[in-house]
Amino acid sequence: MWSSSHIRNPLARSLYMQAVRQAEIEEELRDTRYEEWYTCDVSLLSETLQPKYLPLHFDTETEEFLQGSREKSDWVFTQIFHSVVSTLLSMFVSVTSINGWLGRGSMFVFSQQHFYKLMRIAPGWQAERLLDLGAGDGNVTRIMSGHFQEVFVTEQSPPMRERLQERGYRLLDIEEWPTPQSGLTYDLISCLNLLDRCDKPRSVLEDIRRSLSPDGHLILAVVLPFSPCVESGSKLVDPSEVLPVEGKGWELQANSFVEQVLTPSGFEVETFSRLPYLCEGDLYHPYYILHDAVFVLRPTEVENQQENRV
């Protein structure tokens, strides 16, 4: 029986390992129960959150993303090149920037149908302005953008900023987007998997609240269990503002996130759901998965917030 230790040529060894891994992946995929990605024990949610929970399901758009990720994972020579370049550059720059240069690592948070159901809108719904914070390569922005006259985005990574501009989105600097600086308000602000990767998440929520139009909403995704860190060049560091999220398991962390972060920040949950946060993979894994809580929120009245804090 041959093994990789018998193969001296590095390329041949990589091809052999890819063939072995592909067989393992196919077996794993056959055993994957996609609906488990969307499972929530509603009985563990707080009484306030239980009626707000919206069960969503695996759908065609999600399957298409996974299929595309599997196909890219099979591009052996491309994946080997990406692996070598990523290893060299990771000593100097962030993973996000590396992915931007290589044109890989697209994310998938929700499908078009998921977006309609979460927002409780019809396909023809239209509004004036969308702001997508930390938009990455714009793959998720694309799901929302067709419903708005103007689409604004922010992103720190220079390569990702270039990709967003190529898509035609209006790029704002990190310091520029809050209303006092830009003079703009937004009908929808999306903050998807950003709060656990930014230095001052509490301040970001305050800026979002001030920047929403009177009937505006925030759509927010956060990975649970909550594990914050910030990209600083090639390193990961702790954020300067710490969000007090507690509890064991997805449901209890969702309770804590609402009670200790969102409510004190002046937001009320309209709907929320559990969705897989998917990322394109590499030579060894066709995709990677984390577990998101996705909230649609509206700002509460300042007077109500002051009463709640007394």
Side-chain angles (χ1 to χ4, degrees):
M1 176 69 69
W2 281 89
S3 70
S4 61
S5 62
H6 294 99
I7 304 174
R8 295 184 179 181
N9 183 280
L11 177 58
R13 188 184 302 114
S14 295
L15 293 172
Y16 173 81
M17 291 300 295
Q18 169 65 2
V20 172
R21 179 60 187 146
Q22 188 62 36
E24 294 173 349
I25 289 170
E26 290 175 0
E27 184 175 353
E28 291 173 8
L29 292 175
R30 283 195 297 270
D31 295 336
T32 300
R33 298 179 180 179
Y34 297 118
E35 284 303 322
E36 292 180 357
W37 295 350
Y38 304 81
T39 300
C40 171
D41 187 345
V42 178
S43 68
L44 295 178
L45 298 175
S46 68
E47 291 184 3
T48 302
L49 280 185
Q50 286 183 14
K52 308 292 181 68
Y53 183 76
L54 174 68
L56 296 173
H57 305 280
F58 187 76
D59 64 5
T60 302
E61 289 177 69
T62 311
E63 171 57 31
E64 288 173 353
F65 178 84
L66 292 178
Q67 183 58 37
S69 297
R70 294 178 194 126
E71 291 173 0
K72 290 182 180 180
S73 183
D74 289 341
W75 299 348
V76 177
F77 295 104
T78 299
Q79 295 295 348
I80 291 173
F81 171 74
H82 285 177
S83 179
V84 171
V85 172
S86 179
T87 300
L88 294 174
L89 292 180
S90 63
M91 296 182 287
F92 309 103
V93 296
S94 69
V95 172
T96 302
S97 289
I98 293 171
N99 287 341
W101 278 317
L102 296 176
R104 69 172 192 177
S106 284
M107 306 292 186
F108 186 94
V109 180
F110 44 69
S111 69
Q112 188 80 71
Q113 293 301 316
H114 292 156
F115 178 65
Y116 293 155
K117 291 176 182 178
L118 282 163
M119 291 289 296
R120 295 186 291 194
I121 58 174
W125 178 81
Q126 288 288 311
E128 190 171 352
R129 294 191 189 98
L130 164 69
L131 170 63
D132 190 8
L133 299 174
D137 65 358
N139 191 54
V140 183
T141 316
R142 173 185 55 82
I143 298 292
M144 304 176 284
S145 62
H147 299 281
F148 297 89
Q149 296 175 27
E150 296 181 283
V151 179
F152 299 82
V153 294
T154 71
E155 176 57 52
Q156 282 190 310
S157 166
M160 291 298 189
R161 288 168 63 90
E162 291 180 8
R163 297 180 71 179
L164 290 167
Q165 288 180 311
E166 289 170 359
R167 287 178 178 259
Y169 301 136
R170 294 183 61 178
L171 190 64
L172 300 177
D173 289 335
I174 300 298
E175 300 81 12
E176 182 185 3
W177 68 266
T179 293
Q181 287 80 10
S182 69
L184 298 172
T185 58
Y186 307 92
D187 300 287
L188 179 66
I189 297 178
S190 58
C191 181
L192 306 176
N193 302 295
L194 177 65
L195 288 189
D196 61 349
R197 292 295 178 265
C198 67
D199 187 52
K200 296 183 177 181
R202 183 79 73 181
S203 299
V204 168
L205 286 172
E206 292 173 0
D207 285 336
I208 288 173
R209 192 179 182 283
R210 287 195 296 266
S211 301
L212 286 170
S213 63
D215 296 322
H217 287 81
L218 164 63
I219 184 166
L220 183 148
V222 60
V223 172
L224 300 178
F226 193 69
S227 181
C229 62
V230 182
E231 286 186 337
S232 178
S234 62
K235 298 180 180 179
L236 294 177
V237 299
D238 293 332
S240 59
E241 291 181 0
V242 178
L243 299 182
V245 183
E246 302 171 341
K248 183 176 276 189
W250 189 91
E251 291 86 354
L252 296 184
Q253 288 233 332
N255 291 338
S256 176
F257 188 76
V258 171
E259 293 166 5
Q260 300 189 62
V261 177
L262 296 180
T263 300
S265 296
F267 290 98
E268 180 180 338
V269 178
E270 289 201 344
T271 60
F272 87 107
S273 191
R274 178 172 183 164
L275 288 170
Y277 176 30
L278 300 167
C279 176
E280 289 178 346
D282 50 30
L283 186 64
Y284 307 104
H285 299 277
Y287 57 84
Y288 291 92
I289 178 172
L290 295 169
H291 299 281
D292 264 344
V294 182
F295 299 90
V296 174
L297 306 158
R298 68 175 182 87
T300 54
E301 296 293 335
V302 174
E303 293 79 10
N304 292 342
Q305 281 301 303
Q306 292 173 342
E307 292 173 4
N308 289 339
R309 292 178 184 177
V310 174

